[in-house]
Every structure is written in C-alpha cells, then in structure tokens.
Amino acid sequence: MKKLITLAVITLLVACKSETKENNSSTAKNETKQEVSKLSNSSANYSSLFDTYTCDMDVAELAKVLQIPASDITAQTSKSPNECLFKIKGFGEGHDNTGTTLRLMSVPSSKGQSKKEIANLLKDKAELPSGILMGRDIVLADAGDCYIASQPKRGKVRILNENYDSFIVVTYQTKASVQGRTEEQHDELNLKSKDLANYLVTKHKKQ
C-alpha cells in the first residue's frame, strides 16, 4: 500500500513539473509574439539617435542615469563625433588601474539586418534554454518601439530598430578584460548599461 502511495506521489510530481515546463515555454512564446507585434511599423522618429547621433552626454548626465557618483566617471576624448567614451570606477581596476571603459556609439548596418537580428534573437529567447543563451536577452525598450539586446559575456548592449540603417551599441568590456572585476560587478554593469539604453531611446524619441 505504501509503495502504491509513493508511486502515485512521484507520478503526480513528474506531471506537475512537465506541466510547469510547458506553461513556461508557452508564456515565453506568447511574450515574444507580443513583442513582435508591438514593434512593427513604428511611427516614432529616432533619427537623432540612429541617423545623426553625436555624443550629447556629459559626466553629470551619465552619473544620474547609471546612479553612480560623478566623481567615479571621467570623460575621454574620442576621434569620432558619434562616439562617447568614459572611464568608470567601481567595476574593476582595469589593466592600468583606471577602471572600466564605457563606450557608446552608432554603428552602420541596414534595416534588413536589424530586422533579421531582432527576429533571430526573439526566436532564441522563446526556444532555447537559458543555459545555452548564457545571459543573452532581448526586450522591448520602455518606449515600446525599439529593442534592447544584451550580451553580458561580450560586455555589450545594443539598441535595435528595423526602421533604421544603423544601431546603437553600449560596451562595458568583458569581465576577463578588466582586472579585479567580480561577477556581481559585471552583472550590475550589464543592468546599468540596459538602463542607459532605455534612457537614450526615451530621450531621442520624437513623434
């Protein structure tokens, strides 16, 4: 009798786990479909971000967005007007004890490539296990008509929109390339870089 009860309990647990897994998979696919439908044919104007971006962010503004002291940020000189360069302390010492290099810039691409990239990332998010994704993610920006794609292993966050021939990238270096950076610091910087991406989308959105 005890064996029968034990067997029944095990069977019930297995069934519940299977159902939970199916529900999670279904939820992920539904969220992906909703994200796809929201982006198509965006009417917002992001030309100042994707077409003619020039570095328009100073230390005080960046400190406010990243929620770190302005004293921990130093602006760097870039040879390109469409690139912002900063040195940030508090996320590893770096090879020369100056901290992390945070780079923000516009990268030439194409509408077709951006559309393909968005579709592939959404497909991976819906279908692949988290272990294979290794932290890669794609979400809609708060503004609702751009995507934010993150690749923590590469220390990179991108802003994608299929209506423009370029994308915006924020890089904060890989964990291995910054001496003294912990896993926790790397995760925190990934989140802050996504906050920065969201901020840029909102800042440059024009109806």
Side-chain angles (χ1 to χ4, degrees):
M1 185 66 177
K2 287 183 178 180
K3 289 183 178 179
L4 287 174
I5 294 174
T6 302
L7 182 60
V9 170
I10 292 173
T11 302
L12 184 60
L13 287 173
V14 171
C16 287
K17 287 183 178 179
S18 177
E19 184 178 349
T20 300
K21 185 177 180 181
E22 289 177 1
N23 287 340
N24 288 341
S25 176
S26 177
T27 299
K29 289 180 180 178
N30 287 336
E31 288 176 350
T32 300
K33 288 179 181 178
Q34 290 172 5
E35 288 171 339
V36 170
S37 64
K38 285 181 181 178
L39 183 65
S40 296
N41 300 318
S42 167
S43 60
N45 182 349
Y46 290 101
S47 58
S48 63
L49 181 62
F50 294 104
D51 291 338
T52 59
Y53 182 76
T54 54
C55 183
D56 60 349
M57 180 167 288
D58 59 20
V59 168
E61 186 178 14
L62 183 62
K64 185 176 180 180
V65 175
L66 299 185
Q67 296 186 327
I68 61 177
S71 57
D72 286 347
I73 304 175
T74 304
Q76 305 286 294
T77 302
S78 173
K79 295 180 180 179
S80 173
N82 69 335
E83 177 184 58
C84 290
L85 279 177
F86 299 94
K87 280 286 187 177
I88 299 178
K89 295 180 180 179
F91 300 92
E93 293 79 20
H95 66 280
D96 54 0
N97 289 322
T98 59
T100 292
T101 299
L102 182 77
R103 186 188 309 269
L104 162 62
M105 63 185 296
S106 172
V107 179
S109 183
S110 69
K111 295 174 185 176
Q113 182 59 37
S114 291
K115 185 173 183 177
K116 180 180 178 181
E117 186 78 5
I118 291 168
N120 287 339
L121 289 169
L122 287 171
K123 184 174 182 290
D124 287 348
K125 179 178 180 177
E127 297 178 359
L128 295 179
S130 58
I132 293 178
L133 290 173
M134 298 179 69
R136 284 190 294 120
D137 194 16
I138 181 168
V139 296
L140 273 172
D142 291 342
D145 47 10
C146 287
Y147 277 107
I148 296 174
S150 56
Q151 294 175 279
K153 292 296 180 183
R154 295 188 179 183
K156 179 167 67 176
V157 169
R158 289 175 297 160
I159 306 173
L160 302 166
N161 188 306
E162 64 182 47
N163 298 308
Y164 293 90
D165 291 317
S166 65
F167 63 88
I168 301 297
V169 63
V170 178
T171 60
Y172 50 93
Q173 300 187 261
T174 63
K175 180 179 177 295
S177 69
V178 182
Q179 184 178 344
R181 182 184 290 177
T182 66
E183 195 69 45
E184 290 74 18
Q185 287 173 332
H186 192 71
D187 291 343
E188 184 180 359
L189 201 47
N190 177 51
L191 293 174
K192 289 183 180 299
S193 296
K194 288 191 284 188
D195 287 342
L196 175 57
N198 248 321
Y199 173 80
L200 288 168
V201 171
T202 301
K203 178 180 179 179
H204 287 269
K205 183 174 183 175
K206 298 177 179 64
Q207 297 297 337

